[in-house]
């Protein structure tokens, strides 16, 4: 039933059952959604302090969920808006001033590293991590997948980066360097020259095909744990690696990290990431 615009009433009007049922009962049912989809002519503002609305803008959304982390059954979507909310993610930078994690335009996050490898790294990862050790929530046995848009900014390539699943996502210890053979992980790795698929099972480190990606443009990366015996890593529709042996096991978290190389030039290094989407089997 459609919404009916009720006329303005005057003193002395007689409200019959028909008038009441149409102007009040039926319109309330419509607004509640009892009779189908509710279509609003304008936007919705959550309270008087909002500077924008939920319908035409997102300031109220940003105020409530600075980082949107929506549990959708067996999936999660992580976006970057407003101000960073550390209750949803781990945000870390080294003790040096060169490491930064900053908002870089609507829906984008900039990871910036400096020139000193052990003090000017930057990372963002899944919350609930303490002292570099994480209690994983994405079991390999449930075949999680990780999707992320990313782009390298600038010409200084002297850094390492990792985007994907790993065990250590904290801001100290192994969580502040890219994962190696001793850590269960699966993701996209940059070594200062090429991008590669890279996985580890706690002992063996495996890498895929090297790829040089253009600077200053978006690339779409996917890490797909298809089963406990196969992992595919794809960038821009091209498979960088299909792995069927020495695969990670147990549970993993997600992390994006940038670390300067020891041979670093003097300028800063920048990596921009977009909204992350993760899903797994129930």
């Amino acid at each position: 039933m459609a919404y009916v615009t009720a006329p303005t009433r005057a003193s002395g009007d007689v409200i019959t059952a028909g008038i009441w049922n149409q102007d009040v009962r039926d319109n309330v049912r419509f607004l509640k959604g009892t009779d189908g989809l509710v279509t609003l002519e304008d936007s919705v503002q959550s309270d008087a302090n909002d500077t924008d609305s939920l319908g035409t803008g997102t300031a109220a959304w940003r105020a409530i969920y600075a980082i949107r982390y929506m549990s959708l059954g067996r999936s999660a979507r992580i976006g970057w808006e407003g101000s960073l909310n550390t209750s949803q993610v781990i945000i870390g930078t080294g003790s040096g001033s060169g490491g930064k994690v900053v908002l870089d335009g609507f829906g984008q996050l900039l990871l910036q590293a400096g020139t000193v490898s052990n003090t000017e790294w930057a990372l963002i990862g899944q919350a609930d991590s303490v002292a570099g050790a994480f209690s994983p929530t994405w079991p390999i046995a449930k075949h999680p997948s990780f999707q992320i848009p990313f782009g390298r900014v600038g010409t200084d390539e002297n850094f390492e980066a990792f985007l994907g699943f790993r065990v250590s996502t904290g801001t100290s210890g192994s969580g502040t360097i890219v994962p190696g053979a001793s850590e269960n992980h699966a993701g996209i790795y940059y070594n200062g020259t090429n991008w590669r698929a890279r996985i580890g099972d706690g002992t063996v480190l495996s890498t895929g095909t090297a790829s040089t990606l253009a600077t200053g443009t978006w690339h779409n990366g996917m890490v797909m744990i298809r089963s406990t015996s196969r992992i595919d890593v794809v960038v821009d529709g091209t498979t960088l690696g299909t792995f069927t042996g020495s695969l990670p096991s147990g549970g993993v978290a997600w992390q994006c990290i940038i670390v300067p190389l020891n041979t670093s030039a003097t300028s800063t290094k920048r990596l921009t990431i977009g909204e992350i989407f993760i899903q797994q089997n129930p």
Side-chain angles (χ1 to χ4, degrees), residues 36-246:
L37 178 67
V38 177
T39 302
L40 301 177
E41 296 179 2
D42 203 343
S43 53
V44 177
Q45 185 166 301
S46 64
D47 62 55
N49 295 320
D50 291 337
T51 59
D52 203 346
S53 59
L54 300 183
T56 59
T58 55
W61 239 183
R62 289 197 291 266
I64 299 169
Y65 300 109
I67 291 181
R68 294 178 297 167
Y69 194 106
M70 301 181 296
S71 295
L72 307 174
R74 297 297 179 179
S75 64
R77 189 172 184 172
I78 306 98
W80 324 110
E81 300 178 12
S83 59
L84 295 176
N85 182 347
T86 55
S87 67
Q88 301 293 346
V89 296
I90 288 290
I91 300 169
T93 57
S95 57
S97 60
K100 296 180 181 179
V101 180
V102 295
L103 293 165
D104 187 33
F106 182 76
Q108 302 175 32
L109 194 69
L110 179 67
L111 302 181
Q112 176 177 297
T115 61
V116 184
S117 61
N118 61 342
T119 64
E120 295 190 325
W121 44 267
L123 64 85
I124 191 160
Q126 191 165 324
D128 299 324
S129 182
V130 178
F134 179 74
S135 178
T137 58
W138 299 97
I140 296 294
K142 293 191 175 183
H143 315 154
S145 64
F146 174 91
Q147 181 173 350
I148 183 172
F150 66 95
R152 183 165 55 85
V153 185
T155 58
D156 189 345
E157 301 176 347
N158 291 290
F159 66 85
E160 288 185 296
F162 177 81
L163 313 171
F165 292 119
R166 65 181 300 184
V167 175
S168 297
T169 64
T171 56
S172 64
S174 60
T176 65
I177 59 176
V178 297
S182 62
E183 182 180 344
N184 281 286
H185 69 278
I188 302 165
Y189 169 69
Y190 182 68
N191 66 358
T193 304
N194 298 308
W195 294 88
R196 295 176 181 268
R198 179 157 147 165
I199 69 169
D201 69 348
T203 302
V204 178
L205 183 66
S206 304
T207 58
T209 304
S211 176
T212 55
L213 301 176
T215 303
T217 187
W218 282 109
H219 302 282
N220 186 50
M222 296 187 69
V223 180
M224 297 173 285
I225 302 176
R226 298 190 181 277
S227 68
T228 54
S229 59
R230 177 175 172 176
I231 296 176
D232 290 337
V233 179
V234 177
V235 174
D236 295 339
T238 299
T239 300
L240 299 188
T242 295
F243 305 92
T244 57
S246 300

